[in-house]
Amino acid sequence: MDLALAEARSAFEEDEVPVGAAVVRDGMLLGRGHNRTRALSDPTAHAEILAITAACQTIGEARLDGAELFVTLEPCPMCAGAIVLAHIAKLHYGTPDPRAGACGSLIDIVREPRLNHQVEVYAGLAAEESRKLLEEFFTRKRAQNDDKL
């Protein structure tokens, strides 16, 4: 989770929503990423997607059987779908996302029994630090917007 938090801090420094992710299998880092939607002008450039893509490129496969994904914020529906499609075994996330979380908060895509793969989910890992990064980012954004008025 330390790698995911480091990625989230990088996103924060780049004025991106501070979410970071890392894919690990058998103790080896396969891929990591942080939100880059603004930098890449790409709404799909979420931390999880970038980390999964990097991991797949590392191993030269489209599936990450046996891998674990560590992410600072509960994944959204798009990222939850990618987690299922990549066949990630375990998801560890920091803070829940009651507005868009698709791993138990709003909906639960990763454990949907009608899909061909389900993921073990572990919530609350480094939740406080993950939450504080997000709060600080959005507090700063609101203050910047107030200054423009």
Side-chain angles (χ1 to χ4, degrees):
M1 193 61 165
D2 290 338
L3 291 172
L5 284 165
E7 288 291 327
R9 287 185 210 97
S10 293
F12 188 98
E13 292 168 9
E14 295 171 17
D15 200 32
E16 297 274 2
V17 175
V19 178
V23 178
V24 176
R25 184 167 63 189
D26 300 326
M28 179 186 296
L29 175 66
L30 300 180
R32 58 198 277 174
H34 59 271
N35 278 0
R36 302 206 59 228
T37 58
R38 291 178 183 190
L40 299 176
S41 298
D42 181 355
T44 69
H46 287 199
E48 302 93 324
I49 300 295
L50 298 176
I52 289 168
T53 299
C56 290
Q57 290 173 348
T58 295
I59 65 167
E61 299 285 334
R63 289 196 176 161
L64 297 167
D65 294 306
E68 298 181 55
L69 174 66
F70 295 82
V71 62
T72 57
L73 179 66
E74 179 182 1
C76 72
M78 174 185 70
C79 294
I83 291 165
V84 170
L85 291 172
H87 284 229
I88 289 175
K90 296 178 184 178
L91 166 67
H92 308 265
Y93 72 82
T95 192
D97 185 351
R99 293 184 189 172
C103 302
S105 289
L106 182 63
I107 56 177
D108 199 352
I109 292 172
V110 296
R111 291 179 284 208
E112 172 55 58
R114 294 173 290 180
L115 296 177
N116 67 337
H117 178 74
Q118 289 78 44
V119 180
E120 290 180 45
V121 177
Y122 302 91
L125 187 61
E128 187 69 15
E129 188 168 356
S130 299
R131 183 186 57 77
K132 284 182 179 180
L133 265 173
L134 288 161
E135 285 178 352
E136 184 179 343
F137 177 81
F138 287 111
T139 296
R140 181 189 293 181
K141 283 294 181 193
R142 283 190 291 279
Q144 289 171 350
N145 287 339
D146 288 346
D147 289 345
K148 292 178 184 177
L149 296 178

